[in-house]
């Protein structure tokens, strides 16, 4: 078929139909991604949708500037493709933050182009464009800060008195200038620029005080933000594919964010505004007494080799040490000896929900050995050994019994109920949240100090020797 | 913008509402183990912002509009491509462990 023979209307119809196909492929793709059996094909469906929409968009009547469009697409695709292929599995969360920020930035750029052009829009369209631009810009700068924090580029959390007030002031200023733009009161370059600068600054100042431990929730929230921004800009552009895909991501992302915050027994507002969740000052807790008792790897090896049942509790420390392969090697040795091995995954272990599952899957651990919190908690009482690798707050019993603790009420893995608790830990410092862990001081707990990978390697030798 | 179908007013609200429910339902049944890949997958899906950025740049007039539009297209393409690659890499591992999985397991 000769597409150039079609009139402008014909092309428009072709584009609309291609967007319908794309929306279908996206929703089917996400649906398939929500089950482990079909997940792999889900991303291929969604990818096909993206390809269809991108190709047909070239047909838009009146499109020009192809000498700008093509290099931008090729450069963006190539850089992201290469970086995405190269990044280590443990660094996935910050890469998702980065790509998500790009999406938000693109939505803001669309709004910026429309606003700089200064066409008169209806109040509804103008408002949607401005709000989408605001959310997109906040998502962009906020995601970059989240990326910087997880990548270790930003180590400090900036906090000072009146910070919330300053944030509110910046947001109000951005909304005020945005309202001027949306109402068509002004269109000049200065006000449009001021609006985006304020939005970008707000994203930074809002994210900076939030501690690294809360970054998964924040990334998930910005993911939902970007979805919404895309949907709003979709209304402005009259683009059905953007509206549907953006809204679906906006609502799915909001639900996911709530699930994550709930798993930590905190509200989203608490995550965003309390400033907790950082390595700041240690929180003193009256229930911690006694001392940490060290143990040698050889003794742990014997203990595990002759155990009936071992439950492994992985945390972010395992990810940092890249110890997942060694951990699975150790567990295979134990399984060969007839020891029953299970992995207990806390919903917020690591830096994202399911982060540990991804790492264990990478190492080749079969699904049926991995259990989540509700499934496994009753089993700790029958376990001979609970092996804690780089997890801290998610096994801290003060969450159950110390009302003064900031993590009181958070559901935890009851690792302290196991007959013996072995904690692999680099040093004696407190966890990511800065809260002392009462588990480390219990009579049935022994500390195995060392880097996760080195310590597990020693355990492998010890089990082989036993 | 010359559009043959106008998505405005109540029609826009209907689309918004139905799409929002769809997103909610799709993720409501997802097991915890797939949360990270699914977040990554939904991150890829909003890479559709690329088509909007293309149209915005395709209609840009001034140099300022073109530069910002090009940055938008660049970032949108990065969102889509990066989102695809990391999601695929994560799900690749699930496939291999899924094959070993015993039927009836969870």
């Amino acid at each position: 078929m000769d597409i150039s023979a079609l009139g402008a209307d014909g092309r428009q119809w072709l584009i609309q139909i291609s967007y319908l196909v794309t929306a279908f492929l996206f929703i089917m793709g996400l649906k398939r991604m929500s089950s482990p059996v079909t997940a792999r094909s889900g991303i291929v469906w969604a990818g096909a949708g993206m390809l269809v929409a991108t190709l047909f968009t070239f047909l838009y009547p009146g499109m020009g500037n192809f000498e700008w469009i093509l290099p931008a697409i090729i450069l963006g695709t190539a850089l992201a493709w290469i970086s995405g292929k190269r990044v280590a599995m443990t660094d996935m969360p910050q890469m998702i933050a980065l790509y998500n920020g790009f999406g938000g930035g693109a939505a803001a750029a669309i709004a910026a182009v429309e606003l700089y052009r200064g066409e008169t829009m209806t109040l509804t369209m103008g408002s949607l464009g401005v709000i989408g631009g605001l959310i997109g810009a906040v998502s962009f700068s906020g995601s970059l800060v989240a990326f910087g924090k997880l990548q270790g580029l930003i180590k400090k959390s900036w906090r000072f008195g009146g910070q919330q007030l300053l944030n509110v002031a910046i947001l109000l200023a951005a909304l005020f200038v945005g309202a001027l733009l949306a109402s068509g009161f002004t269109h000049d370059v200065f006000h449009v620029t001021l609006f985006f600068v304020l939005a970008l600054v707000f994203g930074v100042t809002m994210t900076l005080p939030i501690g690294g431990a809360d970054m998964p929730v924040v990334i998930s929230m910005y993911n939902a933000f970007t979805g919404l921004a895309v949907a709003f800009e979709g209304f402005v552009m009259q683009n059905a594919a953007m509206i549907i895909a953006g809204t679906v991501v906006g609502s799915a992302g909001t639900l996911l964010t709530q699930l994550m915050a709930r798993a930590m027994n905190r509200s989203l507002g608490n995550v965003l505004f309390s400033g907790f969740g950082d390595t700041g000052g240690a929180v003193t807790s009256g229930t911690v007494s006694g001392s940490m008792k060290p143990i040698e790897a050889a003794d742990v090896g014997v203990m595990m080799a002759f155990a009936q049942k071992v439950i492994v509790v992985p945390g972010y420390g395992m990810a940092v040490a890249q110890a997942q392969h060694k951990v699975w090697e150790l567990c295979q040795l134990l399984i060969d000896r007839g020891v029953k091995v299970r992995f207990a995954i806390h919903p917020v272990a690591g830096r994202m929900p399911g982060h540990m599952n991804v790492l264990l899957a990478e190492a080749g651990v079969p699904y049926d050995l991995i259990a989540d919190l509700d499934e496994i908690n009753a089993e700790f009482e029958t376990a001979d050994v609970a092996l804690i690798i780089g997890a801290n707050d998610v096994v801290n019993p003060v969450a159950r019994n110390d009302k003064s603790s900031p993590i009181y009420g958070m559901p935890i893995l009851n690792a302290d109920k196991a007959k013996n608790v072995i904690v692999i830990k680099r040093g004696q410092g407190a966890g990511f949240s800065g809260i002392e862990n009462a588990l480390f001081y219990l009579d049935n707990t022994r500390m195995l100090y060392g880097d996760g990978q080195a310590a597990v390697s020693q355990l492998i030798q010890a089990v082989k020797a036993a | 913008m010359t559009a043959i179908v106008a998505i405005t007013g109540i029609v826009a609200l209907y689309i918004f509402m139905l799409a929002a429910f769809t997103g909610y339902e799709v993720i409501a049944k997802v097991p915890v183990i797939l949360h990270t890949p699914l977040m990554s997958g939904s991150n890829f899906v909003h890479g559709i912002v690329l088509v909007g950025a293309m149209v915005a740049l395709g209609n840009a007039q001034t140099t300022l509009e073109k530069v910002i539009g090009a940055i938008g297209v660049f970032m949108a393409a990065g969102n889509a491509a990066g989102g695809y690659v990391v999601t695929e890499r994560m799900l690749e591992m699930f496939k291999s462990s899924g094959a070993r999985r015993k039927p009836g397991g969870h």
Side-chain angles (χ1 to χ4, degrees), chain A residues 43-187:
Chain A
I43 185 64
V44 179
W45 283 60
M50 190 70 76
L51 213 55
V52 167
T54 309
L55 290 177
F56 277 84
T57 300
F58 279 104
L59 296 180
Y60 253 104
M63 286 264 285
N65 298 332
F66 291 110
E67 75 279 12
W68 289 77
I69 295 177
L70 283 172
I73 292 183
I74 292 168
L75 202 62
T77 306
L79 285 181
W81 194 275
I82 294 165
S83 61
K85 282 277 183 207
R86 282 195 182 160
V87 64
M89 272 301 152
T90 41
D91 293 339
M92 281 297 174
Q94 54 262 50
M95 287 317 275
I96 296 176
L98 186 65
Y99 299 141
N100 174 59
F102 277 14
I110 294 174
V113 171
E114 299 286 324
L115 288 171
Y116 278 125
R117 182 176 301 145
E119 267 174 29
T120 40
M121 287 188 270
T122 64
L123 183 61
T124 319
M125 285 299 174
S127 307
L128 285 173
V130 164
I131 295 170
L134 176 69
I135 299 173
V138 170
S139 176
F140 173 68
S141 58
S143 294
L144 288 191
V145 172
F147 169 80
K149 286 203 172 212
L150 289 179
Q151 191 74 10
L153 301 174
I154 305 173
K155 294 210 170 69
K156 271 180 69 179
S157 293
W158 291 11
R159 302 215 186 103
F160 47 85
Q163 190 163 22
Q164 307 293 357
L165 273 176
L166 179 73
N167 285 353
V168 171
I170 296 172
L171 178 62
L172 285 179
L175 285 173
F176 176 71
V177 181
L180 292 182
L181 297 173
S183 60
F185 189 78
T186 173
H187 279 307

Side-chain angles (χ1 to χ4, degrees), chain A residues 171-313:
Chain A
L171 178 62
L172 285 179
L175 285 173
F176 176 71
V177 181
L180 292 182
L181 297 173
S183 60
F185 189 78
T186 173
H187 279 307
D188 60 31
V189 175
F190 170 74
H191 284 100
V192 176
T193 310
L194 178 67
F195 169 68
F196 283 106
V197 168
L198 285 170
L200 290 171
V201 169
F202 178 69
V204 172
T205 56
M206 182 175 133
T207 319
L208 270 181
I210 302 172
D214 286 329
M215 277 305 137
V217 182
V218 174
I219 294 171
S220 175
M221 185 186 72
Y222 284 138
N223 188 40
F225 271 23
T226 303
L228 268 185
V230 170
F232 284 165
E233 296 309 323
F235 281 115
V236 177
M237 310 282 299
Q238 288 289 299
N239 187 312
M242 281 169 74
I243 298 173
I244 294 173
T247 311
V248 165
V249 173
S251 79
T254 305
L255 176 62
L256 186 56
T257 311
Q258 281 173 344
L259 290 176
M260 289 163 72
R262 200 179 301 153
M264 298 200 285
N265 197 40
R266 298 168 61 197
S267 70
L268 194 54
N270 190 250
V271 169
L272 294 179
F273 305 120
S274 74
F276 156 75
D278 189 53
T279 47
V283 179
T284 48
S285 172
T287 57
V288 175
S289 58
S291 59
M292 298 195 200
K293 296 162 278 291
I295 192 169
E296 292 299 318
D299 298 329
V300 180
V302 173
M303 190 191 282
M304 294 204 297
F306 295 99
Q308 301 263 311
K309 183 177 186 176
V310 173
I311 298 179
V312 181
V313 182

Side-chain angles (χ1 to χ4, degrees), chain A residues 12 65 84 238 251 353 357 367, chain B residues 2 7 20 33 36 57 89 94:
Chain A
Q12 285 274 16
N65 298 332
Q238 288 289 299
S251 79
N357 303 80
Y367 275 35
Chain B
T2 51
I7 310 167
I33 53 164
T36 296
L57 176 56
R89 280 185 60 195
F94 278 86

Side-chain angles (χ1 to χ4, degrees), chain A residues 439-460:
Chain A
L439 175 71
F440 300 165
Y441 298 88
L442 293 178
D443 289 336
N444 56 340
T445 302
R446 293 292 178 275
M447 309 297 289
L448 180 58
Y449 292 114
D451 168 72
Q453 180 140 332
V456 176
S457 298
Q458 289 171 9
L459 288 182
I460 291 171

